[in-house]
Amino acid sequence: MKPLSLPCARTAIGLVLCAATLPSAHADAVTDWNLKAHAWVAEARLGTPPAIRVLALVQTAVHDAVLAAGTAASLDAAVAAANHAALRQLLPTHLSAPVTAAYQSALATIPPGAARDAGVAAGEQAAAAVLRKRADDTAAVAAAAAPAAGYRPHTSAGSYVPTAMPALPHWSQRKPWLMSSAAQFRPAAPPALASEQWARDYNEVKEFGARASTRRSAEQTEVARFWEYSMPTIYYGVLRSVALQPGRP
């Protein structure tokens, strides 16, 4: 995959347009629909965490649909049906029409018959199963379980004080997909305030992160600006670049 330029990386629309220019020689239904889903998620303006959750649900449904389809069903139909069934439930209603239009267009390219019908059934059942399994994993449920978030002043050095309001403080209350709990891989406590590591890390951040830093290279600045964008398009673009390598199914 050709690396995205900075203009592409800076805006959601630019990312979607850049994604549309990816080479299609090795494209298949999974990657094609992944690009479509990104475009709709960007148009929906869901915000980063909700958008990531939507695509996690969609791609899990696609994965399960492909496994369920096996060799007797149309994989293209299974992928299209899984995307359609999941996205119709997860995206705002004003996007239902383009999602359905893309689905109908995809089905029109598949010869009618038992294989297409079996693929559609596999896709719809996979999407329904994933959505049912994650039905209690909603923002409302997580927010109700989360402790009240508020500003607590600190008077001692070394205690972190947020410089901005935390985004979605209830997100850790969501049910993990595969981990036993949200705290399973939580990092250890930060280094002690009087330690050499703390001083080294602090100075490194200050020197490399300053707006007019003379230590930071142009490439490092470009990398930082690229990853500043946090919508799923960035991460799935990386995954697609791996999936589209020669020799991969």
Side-chain angles (χ1 to χ4, degrees), residues 103-121:
Y103 173 58
Q104 293 173 343
S105 177
L107 287 188
T109 65
I110 305 171
R116 187 176 75 175
D117 293 345
V120 168

Side-chain angles (χ1 to χ4, degrees), residues 35-60:
L35 284 168
K36 292 183 178 74
H38 281 143
W40 291 319
V41 165
E43 185 177 348
R45 300 182 181 275
L46 299 176
T48 298
I52 289 173
R53 179 176 181 271
V54 165
L55 285 173
L57 290 165
V58 171
Q59 293 303 142
T60 301

